[in-house]
Amino acid sequence: MVQKYQSPVRVYKYPFELVMAAYEKRFPTCPEIPVFLGSEILHESRSEDGAIHVIERSCKLNVDAPRLLKKMAGVEYVFFIQKNTVNWRERTLRIEAHNETFANRVVVRETCSYSVHPENEEWTCFEQSASLDIKSFFGFESTVEKIAMKQYTSNIKRGKEVIEHYLKELISQGITFIPRWTPPAGSGRDEPSPAVGQEPGDIPLDPGAPGSPCPSAEAASPDADKLDAEYIERYLGQLTPLQESCLIRLRQWLQETHKGKIPKDEHILRFLRARDFNIDKAREMLCQSLSWRKQYQVDYILQSWRPPALLQEYYTGGWHYQDKDGRPLYILRLGQMDTKGLVKALGEESLLRHVLSINEEGQKRCEENTNIFGRPITSWTCLVDLEGLNMRHLWRPGVKALLRIIEVVEDNYPETLGRLLIVRAPRVFPVLWTLVSPFINENTRQKFLIYSGNNYQGSGGLVDYVDKEVIPDFLGGDCMCTVPEGGLVPKSLYQTEDEPENSDHIRLWTETIYHSASVLRGAPHEIVVEILEGESVITWDFDILKGDVVFSLFHSKRAPEPSHKESTLAGPCAGDNVQLIDRTWVLGVDFSRVESPLVCREGESIQGSHVTRWPGFYILQWKMHGPPPCSSSSLPRVDDVLASLQGSGHKCKLIYYYEVLASKDFRGSMSSLESCNSGFSQLSGVTTSSSQSQSSSHLSR
């Protein structure tokens, strides 16, 4: 397996020429880097005007490996070839290195670059990437891989420190300015001018000094599509070099393959942490969550969800300041909550929506606290009071609803809970804990602190985690808490027995304008639109949730008779499968194709339209697409990852919406649709249109 590394952008707040002078002090030997034993110039050349300077060196390294392994390999040192290309005109340095030792067994490639900061020409940016491919090594491939990665990552941070060391050494020697390269006299090139009102020797080296050219904090990131090391430390926290690399690589992969809105960096980082920075596992988990968010419009929940008055009165939870670490604090008086009454009166869906809105609000509060406290706040603390917990809370449907909610939260909000403080746990609590703990991730369980009786009071209790002045009054503190006290939900508010909750699946957004459908092998899903006048416009907007399908549009003068099949395989939430085109119908005789078939991949959002030419019946058809050919690409797309995660290959799922407009009302864009704000969520802001439509169709992008 090829191991890869990608660094964030590291910024030196010094001019490029001064950084280059510090970099050259690393050669031919560098005592500051013990593994670097020396170097020898193999080739050196300059362009005619001196703007380009190329140096190729052989570098000798002392690898920190077991003596036995070195003896078996028959080498004491490792040699690398390094090629440095300085472009003084463009003010860039490109470094390319590869191993010479064991080149037929191990392939190491490294590329580094120094360049001028795009928003401050007196700063210098540095990036590096590397790959390691161990083909064979005497049966010690895994050991060599671990040694190589450990050695490489340990020297990454050291490399920046060495440059900083030599910069300070230059400054201590009185070298604070090095002129920029200028073309030779008579070359016809103009010499770059210093900034207005500045002499070359006046460039301040302290970015905080008065008159310094350093930009505002917003300018610290050299590229909107790249992550700056200072930004990571400020907003995401301390990460190891490999953790930084995993974040950057997963982010780049999403930018290259994901068709929707890219999640925030802290959101991506949570999934990496949940999978111990295994990039493949984190990618699978994140892709499933993105599909879930897209399907259920979770991005809009804070704007669309308004909890019913009953929930506001009887749901005993709410936000309450923050803990000592700056994490938002959520208080849940679970012992006072009538979970049975809430489930019977509101159903699972309302409770699930409310919990999702709490999690979305928690992420928002974390971002706000990060800005308030000036340090990364990526999780919140939950304080659960169990006083009043009894066997009523162990009501089977209520526990079942709780387990489903836990499952949804665990899958889609990993690493958002920083600490869970459980106080006044009664004797019945171990029974509840036995039921729910298997559904809670091990990393999450380690964040639980459980206090029975009054053990939460005094040293070692809540005061260790929450400031005394914000401890709620009902727990002996002085702070008035606005969390509802709950109570029993009146039975008169219960749903009637003929309105049972769906016991197989938690459904969301039942009022959505989109319809769900299943597409089975040999059983396409079809809908019919009757057009009474020519020059009407049929518009459609659909999302492929599972599998690959082929979308087609047909016309017939005959009214089709539906063959309706409830999909028992897909489950009650997958929708119906309806077939309209009779098996005896002949294409070109009984009906005709008016739109070319369009292959739609899993995860894609499709919008399109068709201007009708004739009255009659237009049939929109989705049928299962055959297995895609194997790809030679080493990096799968979001669609491919999602496909590999789904179960049976004999069923596809989609959500669709369609509308018929008079031609004069159609403006050729999705603005005419009720669904114009999104193709289900912000994540589908960039969508795939029916690009293969005939010339008579107007497409939206």
Side-chain angles (χ1 to χ4, degrees):
M1 179 179 177
V2 179
Q3 295 286 347
K4 294 183 178 180
Y5 171 79
Q6 175 64 56
S7 77
V9 178
R10 308 190 189 278
V11 178
Y12 297 96
K13 298 180 180 180
Y14 299 94
F16 175 79
E17 290 72 20
L18 200 62
V19 173
M20 289 300 96
Y23 175 78
E24 284 300 320
K25 294 179 75 68
R26 295 175 49 173
F27 302 100
T29 59
C30 181
E32 301 297 322
I33 306 179
V35 298
F36 183 59
L37 301 179
S39 63
E40 176 185 353
I41 295 178
L42 302 178
H43 174 76
E44 184 173 7
S45 64
R46 297 178 186 270
S47 62
E48 190 173 328
D49 60 0
I52 310 296
H53 184 194
V54 180
I55 301 179
E56 190 170 324
R57 294 183 175 94
S58 174
C59 301
K60 182 179 180 182
L61 304 180
N62 181 24
V63 179
D64 184 15
R67 182 68 185 173
L68 178 61
L69 185 60
K70 287 185 176 182
K71 188 173 182 180
M72 291 183 63
V75 297
E76 188 67 29
Y77 308 109
V78 175
F79 290 88
F80 275 73
I81 302 298
Q82 184 190 77
K83 180 182 178 181
N84 292 358
T85 304
V86 184
N87 187 325
W88 295 109
R89 180 184 293 111
E90 302 294 335
R91 303 177 76 196
T92 62
L93 167 63
R94 179 176 176 83
I95 305 169
E96 299 168 290
H98 65 274
N99 62 305
E100 187 178 29
T101 307
F102 296 119
N104 60 333
R105 294 180 177 273
V106 180
V107 179
V108 179
R109 304 283 184 189
E110 182 186 49
T111 303
C112 306
S113 66
Y114 288 85
S115 59
V116 177
H117 193 292
E119 296 181 15
N120 187 337
E121 62 179 16
E122 301 304 330
W123 287 1
T124 305
C125 296
F126 172 76
E127 289 182 82
Q128 70 185 119
S129 60
S131 64
L132 169 67
D133 184 9
I134 301 179
K135 301 181 183 299
S136 64
F137 205 87
F138 313 107
F140 290 92
E141 291 80 12
S142 178
T143 302
V144 172
E145 181 180 285
K146 291 178 181 178
I147 292 173
M149 294 304 295
K150 180 181 178 182
Q151 185 107 25
Y152 187 79
T153 54
S154 65
N155 287 317
I156 289 172
K157 186 177 180 181
R158 184 60 183 153
K160 186 176 189 297
E161 293 173 349
V162 168
I163 295 295
E164 296 279 3
H165 167 79
Y166 285 126
L167 282 166
K168 292 177 181 178
E169 185 177 286
L170 288 171
I171 294 171
S172 68
Q173 296 171 358
I175 303 175
T176 59
F177 172 76
I178 296 178
R180 297 184 188 178
W181 174 88
T182 56
S187 65
R189 293 183 179 271
D190 295 329
E191 181 176 344
S193 302
V196 177
Q198 254 186 12
E199 293 297 327
D202 293 336
I203 296 176
L205 294 175
D206 179 7
S212 169
C214 94
S216 63
E218 288 79 0
S221 180
D223 193 317
D225 292 331
K226 295 182 179 180
L227 292 183
D228 175 79
E230 292 185 4
Y231 160 81
I232 291 177
E233 185 174 347
R234 166 65 178 84
Y235 291 98
L236 304 179
Q238 293 284 349
L239 302 178
T240 68
L242 284 182
Q243 289 172 346
E244 289 177 338
S245 175
C246 288
L247 172 62
I248 293 167
R249 288 169 55 204
L250 183 52
R251 188 175 183 267
Q252 287 177 342
W253 177 79
L254 286 168
Q255 289 171 336
E256 293 168 1
T257 63
H258 185 53
K259 296 181 176 63
K261 181 180 177 182
I262 303 302
K264 294 181 179 180
D265 299 322
E266 53 267 31
H267 193 68
I268 300 174
L269 187 57
R270 288 187 179 109
F271 284 85
L272 284 166
R273 286 193 169 118
R275 291 297 178 262
D276 296 323
F277 286 88
N278 182 312
I279 194 168
D280 293 326
K281 292 181 179 179
R283 179 168 56 212
E284 290 180 1
M285 185 182 185
L286 179 57
C287 285
Q288 288 191 42
S289 181
L290 293 181
S291 178
W292 172 83
R293 294 181 69 88
K294 185 176 183 181
Q295 178 178 353
Y296 297 120
Q297 306 178 21
V298 178
D299 287 334
Y300 292 133
I301 194 169
L302 291 180
Q303 293 78 30
S304 63
W305 169 244
R306 295 294 178 267
L310 187 148
L311 195 57
Q312 295 182 34
E313 181 178 356
Y314 291 99
Y315 189 88
T316 56
W319 294 101
H320 182 79
Y321 301 100
Q322 54 271 329
D323 68 4
K324 286 187 174 182
D325 295 322
R327 297 189 183 105
L329 177 62
Y330 189 84
I331 294 179
L332 181 64
R333 303 184 68 177
L334 184 60
Q336 303 298 315
M337 187 185 299
D338 182 8
T339 53
K340 180 178 181 178
L342 288 174
V343 172
K344 279 186 167 290
L346 296 171
E348 293 178 4
E349 182 182 345
S350 291
L351 289 176
L352 176 57
R353 288 196 200 188
H354 193 58
V355 172
L356 295 182
S357 70
I358 292 170
N359 279 271
E360 292 293 312
E361 175 68 21
Q363 293 184 138
K364 181 181 176 182
R365 287 174 177 262
C366 285
E367 293 178 22
E368 293 172 352
N369 284 15
T370 294
N371 292 325
I372 292 172
F373 294 105
R375 62 180 185 274
I377 307 293
T378 59
S379 60
W380 55 84
T381 292
C382 186
L383 172 59
V384 181
D385 179 18
L386 294 183
E387 184 183 54
L389 189 77
N390 53 43
M391 294 304 294
R392 179 182 176 86
H393 292 87
L394 301 181
W395 178 59
R396 185 179 179 86
V399 173
K400 188 177 180 181
L402 175 62
L403 295 179
R404 287 180 181 146
I405 291 173
I406 290 174
E407 184 178 12
V408 170
V409 172
E410 282 283 300
D411 289 343
N412 299 284
Y413 299 94
E415 297 298 316
T416 52
L417 181 65
R419 185 180 294 119
L420 182 68
L421 303 170
I422 299 176
V423 300
R424 301 200 282 195
R427 295 178 64 181
V428 73
F429 172 71
V431 180
L432 180 62
W433 178 247
T434 301
L435 293 173
V436 303
S437 60
F439 293 85
I440 302 174
N441 181 275
E442 176 62 28
N443 290 340
T444 304
R445 288 204 299 267
Q446 292 177 357
K447 301 171 184 176
F448 284 35
L449 294 171
I450 302 172
Y451 300 92
S452 61
N454 295 323
N455 291 342
Y456 67 92
Q457 298 177 342
S459 178
L462 291 183
V463 292
D464 285 10
Y465 308 101
V466 181
D467 288 326
K468 187 175 181 180
E469 54 268 23
V470 300
I471 293 179
D473 52 344
F474 61 83
L475 291 178
D478 299 326
C479 186
M480 293 297 296
C481 183
T482 59
V483 174
E485 295 183 1
L488 294 178
V489 177
K491 292 186 177 181
S492 60
L493 300 178
Y494 285 8
Q495 294 179 355
T496 60
E497 292 301 323
D498 58 352
E499 297 176 357
E501 274 287 301
N502 188 327
S503 62
D504 296 320
H505 193 80
I506 299 177
R507 297 192 62 187
L508 292 173
W509 274 258
T510 53
E511 72 277 18
T512 178
I513 62 174
Y514 294 90
H515 305 278
S516 60
S518 297
V519 178
L520 309 177
R521 190 171 299 281
H525 179 70
E526 297 162 340
I527 57 175
V528 64
V529 179
E530 183 177 6
I531 300 297
L532 301 177
E533 60 175 292
E535 297 297 318
S536 294
V537 180
I538 304 173
T539 61
W540 54 80
D541 180 1
F542 59 90
D543 219 334
I544 309 302
L545 305 179
K546 177 180 179 181
D548 298 340
V549 303
V550 179
F551 173 73
S552 300
L553 181 65
F554 301 96
H555 172 263
S556 176
K557 295 180 181 179
R558 298 169 55 184
E561 295 184 4
S563 171
H564 186 91
K565 295 185 179 180
E566 179 74 18
S567 174
T568 57
L569 288 175
C573 195
D576 295 345
N577 175 267
V578 179
Q579 298 174 50
L580 299 171
I581 299 177
D582 194 283
R583 294 182 181 275
T584 62
W585 282 17
V586 178
L587 183 63
V589 177
D590 301 288
F591 68 110
S592 59
R593 188 187 302 275
V594 293
E595 287 281 350
S596 300
L598 177 67
V599 177
C600 308
R601 302 295 183 183
E602 183 171 320
E604 289 185 345
S605 296
I606 312 293
Q607 292 96 39
S609 59
H610 177 84
V611 178
T612 63
R613 295 181 179 178
W614 318 280
F617 300 90
Y618 287 79
I619 301 170
L620 285 71
Q621 181 195 75
W622 294 268
K623 70 176 182 179
M624 184 173 288
H625 181 56
C630 295
S631 172
S632 59
S633 173
S634 60
L635 199 59
R637 303 186 307 153
V638 173
D639 332 356
D640 302 324
V641 173
L642 287 171
S644 68
L645 298 174
Q646 304 298 337
S648 171
H650 303 287
K651 178 178 62 179
C652 301
K653 294 182 181 180
L654 62 98
I655 298 178
Y656 65 91
Y657 173 80
Y658 70 95
E659 188 176 13
V660 180
L661 304 169
S663 181
K664 60 182 177 61
D665 296 330
F666 181 69
R667 299 182 179 86
S669 74
M670 288 303 290
S671 61
S672 60
L673 285 177
E674 185 179 350
S675 61
C676 62
N677 289 334
S678 79
F680 308 113
S681 77
Q682 296 177 28
L683 291 173
S684 61
V686 180
T687 57
T688 303
S689 298
S690 304
S691 58
Q692 297 180 13
S693 298
Q694 298 173 358
S695 59
S696 61
S697 297
H698 297 274
L699 307 179
S700 68
R701 295 185 181 275

